[in-house]
Amino acid sequence: MSVKTDHRHLYLQVIDRIKKDIEQGVYKEKEKLPSEFELAKQLGVSRATLREALRVLEEENVIIRRHGVGTFVSSRPMFTSGIEQLSSVTEMIRQAGRKPGTIFLSSSIQKPTEDDIKRFQCHKEEDLLVVERVRTANNEPVVYCIDKVPCKYLPKGIAYENESLLEILHDEANRYIAYAITHIEPLGYHEKVSPVLQCEPETALLVLKQMHFDENDEPILYSIDYFKSDKFSFHVLRKRV
Amino acid sequence: MSVKTDHRHLYLQVIDRIKKDIEQGVYKEKEKLPSEFELAKQLGVSRATLREALRVLEEENVIIRRHGVGTFVSSRPMFTSGIEQLSSVTEMIRQAGRKPGTIFLSSSIQKPTEDDIKRFQCHKEEDLLVVERVRTANNEPVVYCIDKVPCKYLPKGIAYENESLLEILHDEANRYIAYAITHIEPLGYHEKVSPVLQCEPETALLVLKQMHFDENDEPILYSIDYFKSDKFSFHVLRKRV
DNA sequence: CCCACCTTAGATATCAGACATCTGATGTTA
DNA sequence: TAACATCAGATGTCTGATATCTAAGGTGGG
């Protein structure tokens, strides 16, 4: 029995439980789940709660429901980990089974540009911390990162040289990044970035320009990440509307 | 009053109705919606059905619900039209307010490659129709498209030169593309594609390699689209998990 | 006057049980 | 054999109740 009492809403726990069961093969692809009545009894929740969870799972394309027939595991249960899931570069490298590292290039306090003022909805005289780093995987440079964050969100004198900025913001500043609006651009050659990443002439870069927000929709962090295209692969599930 | 009787499930109609109301400004950003009890009464559905709809809208980041407080329109109600929404190139150009056109390059029947066999889970001797086209916006070339589709999905002797392939598949072959798994890659220069799209040397390409599926998860269409990066902008909402 | 505590109204979260409707399978009959 | 009728079981929807959370307002002691 777990120590941590789960204060999260029931339907969320049900979602996680079902997802876990699918991932662990309790229910296999295309397989029929128990009936709602049965499943609700098994999980110890009401049918209404279970149905809210199933509705979300259906929307996420994890299951398929057919009126009068049953509920089935989707044939391609997408826990995607596609680009629509936001994770730090550190997490991405770690998830690829490699050792993340950081080469610290520069850090300075700057006044916001016109675009920054719009992005952060901040004052003209607001101070921004601008950090430039190269992220490495197994000591090989793979991403060039520029991060901008208003100083007011950061505690004084922290060491931002060694860790994921998202983690720092969470641990030190108690700011949890909940989502980001990301623009995706290709880049053939960048006279500053490409040499640093040791790019062959034919190796293009994928640029993600990301505005990060916290749970209260406050703009916290703006980042520009240059990914070496032969080291990262991005995919996304696109749904027709 | 609309003629078409809506046979779709109630909760779906409720979702659409609420989305429409938000889009049309009936409920504004950050504004509080009526209580579930009140809203259910207004819409003429039960609270349980309304709650299923609200749960989905919450998951889609259209609304925010706070226990004991109320339901609010999200501060940035994302009907994103980001990359996670699949649309044909034709639709994309049209949505940008420009006139879509097609330059037909080639069309041939080919046997599948190793990768094609995996992708389509088809037989080695299956015939594939391969079409190469350049799509134009206001007569300016903007996308280079290669499409592969098993001949068995297409009726004989159709004119695929003028229209969206997705529309043809739907109208002529009664195959509705429901989603696609898309890989995103940058490309600096392509010796065949770049000249055709009249790319300046510094203009990179964004390549989308897409496997399209229908509602029954059958692989129908594989496409490779080369987008001129200065003519298209892609974005995506990335959520933390 | 202010702050800590209590109470309460109103909202969402969850529950229990019923009925409606759809689907697939089975059986029946012309 | 084919069309129809029936039925079991599943999801869809409804009703009405209770539980829990939150914000706001009241209250009393300092």
Side-chain angles (χ1 to χ4, degrees):
Chain A
M1 162 172 170
S2 158
V3 176
K4 75 160 181 205
T5 47
D6 204 334
H7 292 315
R8 296 153 58 234
H9 287 154
L10 246 186
Y11 82 98
L12 284 174
Q13 301 179 38
V14 172
I15 288 175
D16 289 348
R17 166 65 186 276
I18 295 177
K19 276 188 177 175
K20 200 192 72 182
D21 281 352
I22 293 177
E23 274 179 309
Q24 299 191 347
V26 179
Y27 309 118
K28 302 190 186 62
E29 293 186 12
K30 292 254 190 188
E31 189 177 315
K32 189 168 173 300
L33 266 58
S35 74
E36 293 181 356
F37 189 84
E38 178 65 24
L39 198 48
K41 203 171 62 181
Q42 284 182 24
L43 298 176
V45 302
S46 72
R47 228 191 109 202
T49 299
L50 171 65
R51 281 180 58 79
E52 288 189 20
L54 292 178
R55 194 59 83 201
V56 172
L57 289 173
E58 183 186 29
E59 208 65 14
E60 288 181 354
N61 288 89
V62 175
I63 60 173
I64 295 174
R65 312 170 83 187
R66 294 174 53 202
H67 188 184
V69 184
T71 302
F72 303 83
V73 179
S74 171
S75 60
R76 209 173 275 88
M78 319 250 186
F79 309 101
T80 52
S81 88
I83 199 174
E84 63 270 39
Q85 267 180 248
L86 176 62
S87 59
S88 70
V89 175
T90 306
E91 289 165 341
M92 291 178 64
I93 293 173
R94 199 170 279 142
Q95 196 165 357
R98 290 189 272 179
K99 191 170 66 67
T102 302
I103 300 172
F104 183 76
L105 295 184
S106 79
S107 140
S108 60
I109 306 294
Q110 298 181 8
K111 298 299 176 192
T113 65
E114 290 282 325
D115 288 335
D116 289 335
I117 292 176
K118 266 186 230 143
R119 279 194 273 267
F120 289 107
Q121 297 169 16
C122 70
H123 193 269
K124 195 165 42 175
E125 294 302 319
E126 181 102 39
D127 280 332
L128 298 183
L129 173 67
V130 181
V131 182
E132 280 183 280
R133 299 175 297 171
V134 171
R135 313 304 304 276
T136 61
N138 289 352
N139 298 316
E140 184 186 1
V142 288
V143 192
Y144 189 101
C145 302
I146 301 173
D147 295 288
K148 291 188 181 188
V149 54
C151 290
K152 63 181 174 188
Y153 294 141
L154 289 170
K156 303 296 172 195
I158 54 160
Y160 34 71
E161 295 162 25
N162 239 339
E163 247 188 298
S164 158
L165 250 184
L166 294 198
E167 283 173 27
I168 292 175
L169 280 166
H170 184 255
D171 298 340
E172 309 292 334
N174 204 27
R175 291 281 184 169
Y176 180 75
I177 300 296
Y179 65 95
I181 297 176
T182 301
H183 286 264
I184 305 169
E185 297 172 15
L187 186 60
Y189 181 83
H190 189 289
E191 67 174 10
K192 185 169 161 191
V193 174
S194 296
V196 172
L197 294 181
Q198 303 165 12
C199 286
E200 307 294 324
E202 74 275 8
T203 303
L205 300 168
L206 191 69
V207 187
L208 299 190
K209 298 181 177 177
Q210 313 194 105
M211 188 67 238
H212 300 257
F213 299 84
D214 68 4
E215 309 99 316
N216 303 316
D217 301 310
E218 270 196 85
I220 307 289
L221 165 69
Y222 181 72
S223 70
I224 305 178
D225 295 337
Y226 300 81
F227 291 87
K228 230 176 135 172
S229 63
D230 56 347
K231 300 298 176 186
F232 285 89
S233 121
F234 294 93
H235 64 101
V236 61
L237 174 66
R238 308 181 68 192
K239 276 183 278 191
R240 201 80 178 279
V241 287
Chain B
M1 161 165 175
S2 160
V3 175
K4 78 162 180 205
T5 47
D6 205 334
H7 291 348
R8 296 152 58 232
H9 287 154
L10 245 187
Y11 82 98
L12 283 174
Q13 301 179 38
V14 172
I15 289 175
D16 289 348
R17 166 66 186 276
I18 295 177
K19 275 188 177 174
K20 200 191 72 182
D21 281 352
I22 293 177
E23 275 179 309
Q24 299 192 345
V26 179
Y27 308 118
K28 303 191 186 63
E29 293 185 12
K30 293 255 190 186
E31 191 177 313
K32 189 168 173 300
L33 266 59
S35 75
E36 293 180 355
F37 188 86
E38 178 65 23
L39 199 48
K41 204 171 61 180
Q42 284 182 24
L43 299 176
V45 301
S46 74
R47 233 192 102 202
T49 299
L50 172 64
R51 280 180 59 78
E52 286 190 21
L54 291 178
R55 194 59 83 200
V56 171
L57 288 172
E58 183 187 30
E59 210 64 15
E60 288 181 354
N61 287 87
V62 175
I63 60 173
I64 295 173
R65 311 170 81 187
R66 294 175 54 202
H67 189 181
V69 183
T71 303
F72 304 82
V73 179
S74 170
S75 62
R76 209 173 277 89
M78 317 250 186
F79 308 101
T80 53
S81 88
I83 199 175
E84 63 270 39
Q85 268 181 244
L86 176 61
S87 58
S88 70
V89 175
T90 305
E91 288 165 341
M92 291 177 62
I93 294 174
R94 199 169 278 144
Q95 196 165 357
R98 290 190 273 180
K99 190 169 66 67
T102 301
I103 300 171
F104 184 76
L105 295 185
S106 78
S107 138
S108 59
I109 306 294
Q110 298 181 9
K111 298 299 178 192
T113 65
E114 290 284 323
D115 288 335
D116 290 335
I117 292 176
K118 265 187 231 145
R119 277 194 275 266
F120 289 108
Q121 298 171 14
C122 69
H123 194 270
K124 197 164 42 175
E125 293 302 320
E126 180 103 40
D127 279 332
L128 298 184
L129 172 67
V130 181
V131 182
E132 279 184 282
R133 298 174 298 168
V134 171
R135 313 304 304 276
T136 61
N138 290 352
N139 299 317
E140 184 186 1
V142 289
V143 193
Y144 189 101
C145 303
I146 300 172
D147 295 287
K148 291 188 181 186
V149 52
C151 291
K152 63 181 174 188
Y153 293 142
L154 289 170
K156 304 295 174 197
I158 55 161
Y160 36 70
E161 295 162 25
N162 239 338
E163 246 187 300
S164 157
L165 250 184
L166 294 197
E167 284 173 27
I168 290 175
L169 280 165
H170 184 253
D171 298 341
E172 309 292 332
N174 205 26
R175 290 282 185 168
Y176 181 74
I177 300 295
Y179 66 94
I181 297 176
T182 301
H183 286 263
I184 306 168
E185 297 172 16
L187 188 58
Y189 180 83
H190 189 289
E191 68 175 9
K192 184 169 163 193
V193 174
S194 296
V196 173
L197 294 181
Q198 302 165 13
C199 286
E200 307 294 323
E202 75 276 8
T203 303
L205 299 169
L206 192 69
V207 187
L208 299 190
K209 298 181 178 177
Q210 311 195 106
M211 189 67 238
H212 300 257
F213 299 84
D214 68 4
E215 308 98 315
N216 303 317
D217 301 310
E218 270 198 85
I220 306 289
L221 165 69
Y222 181 72
S223 70
I224 305 178
D225 295 337
Y226 299 81
F227 290 88
K228 228 176 139 174
S229 64
D230 55 347
K231 301 297 177 186
F232 285 90
S233 119
F234 293 94
H235 64 101
V236 61
L237 175 66
R238 307 182 68 193
K239 275 184 279 192
R240 202 80 178 278
V241 288

